[in-house]
Amino acid sequence: MSAIKINEAVFWVGAMHWDRRLFDELIPLPDGTSYNSYVIKGSEKTALIDTVDPDCEHQLFKNLQQLNIKKIDYVISNHSEQDHSGIIPRVLSEFPQAQLVTNSKAKTILSEHLEIPENKFKIVENQDVLSLGDRKLKFVMTPWVHWPETMTTYLEEDGIAFSCDFFGSHLATSQLFTDRDPKVLRDAKRYYAEIMMPFRNQITRNIAEIKSLNPSIIAPSHGPVYRDPEFIISAYEQWSSDKVLPQVVIPYVSMHGSTARIVDYLVDKFMEIQIEVFPFNITVSDIGEIAMSLVDASTVILASPTVLTVAHPSTFYVAYLLGALRPKTKYIGLVGSYGWGGRMAEVIKPLLANLNAEFLNPILIKGYPRQADYDNLDKLVEMVVAKNS
Ligand code: FEO
């Protein structure tokens, strides 16, 4: 990719990471990702907003060269995670006159992780304004999207909110701009589920901050730039609201088919009564898909066999993720099969203590389910229906 003009003063100079398939050694990236970095040429000063992942630093420097950028006065760091900050030391070395503009929380992180010298920093606070001559940058603190130091930089004259991870999507694409593309919305939802969902309350506050700016453009640091900010803002409002949908997510593992029979029965029952249901065989599922299904669903039913008296390790993994991602799930069920006994509920429940959810009575079955067990599963379905109506 080459530098892309957004307007006469603002240019995208980031990087496309088309073939990256994993982030943080955890998060699948089926569509790759991008690291958006932006140059703003004011009449007096030039600013660079965020940088790129160290794996792609050559792309940023190539783009700066293409734009013939000889001098950078300010490097703005909206977020200290290394996919946006990792090459700041190299940028400061190439442009030694540049000051690193960020907030005090970010300064601590950047100093510790990247060993940036004290005299390079210019610290800003909420609502501070930095002049580039004919253009001004306003800094708006938007903490916990998704680290404590995150902030948004607002280019007032052009109405562009540079929000870094906030509103982003892991999507490498040749189309820098998006309007109302469902593909972008899906990737943004996946991104929200994986990265932002644990911080719903803070996100709600930060959405209000961004809305109060009334931006014409939201330019995040992953994925396309929104020319219609209402598109992504309204989606975020829905995802982060308390409103749930009558959907049932069933992450499951089955070793010898007993738990699979339970899951098949539940899925059929929910389908019969037209409750939307999402079964995921954990051992072959993309955890991003599971996370995405948790954004709106009212109900999660974990289904697991017993291994060494407790749940299957894959069930532990998903239960741990549920506790960490803190979706707005209202009801949690646990079903499964055992051979000679077990403590499945006792060990899984504490992992879900973070969630503000009601734990439904577990249904744990010895071996294959029989009629009495199917009757109990019917009662579980009836209870889920009643709670969702
Ligand atoms: Fe894209 Fe939190 O870094």
Side-chain angles (χ1 to χ4, degrees), residues 23 79 81 83-84 146 165 191 222:
F23 199 90
H79 175 30
E81 194 166 6
D83 53 324
H84 309 291
H146 59 127
D165 281 351
Y191 188 85
H222 295 290

Side-chain angles (χ1 to χ4, degrees), residues 148-208:
E149 88 301 2
T150 46
M151 69 180 197
T152 294
T153 298
Y154 187 57
L155 178 56
E156 295 187 312
E157 289 72 12
D158 303 273
I160 304 177
F162 299 96
S163 57
C164 204
D165 281 351
F166 197 21
F167 303 119
S169 59
H170 281 311
L171 172 60
T173 169
S174 60
Q175 306 300 303
L176 179 62
F177 297 102
T178 185
D179 292 312
R180 291 188 162 258
D181 184 348
K183 167 70 179 157
V184 175
L185 188 64
R186 186 172 168 77
D187 279 332
K189 185 174 187 178
R190 171 189 271 266
Y191 188 85
Y192 167 87
E194 294 164 336
I195 307 283
M196 300 291 170
M197 193 155 61
F199 310 104
R200 267 197 319 125
N201 293 338
Q202 292 92 334
I203 282 169
T204 303
R205 280 199 293 276
N206 287 328
I207 290 171

Side-chain angles (χ1 to χ4, degrees), residues 41 193 244 275 291 387:
K41 292 182 180 176
V244 291
I275 293 257
K387 286 185 179 295

Side-chain angles (χ1 to χ4, degrees), residues 38 159-163 166-167 210 215-220 224-230 232-233:
Y38 304 91
I160 304 177
F162 299 96
S163 57
F166 197 21
F167 303 119
I210 299 296
S216 318
I217 288 177
I218 289 180
V225 169
Y226 302 95
R227 279 188 297 214
D228 178 0
E230 201 275 332
I232 190 65
I233 286 176

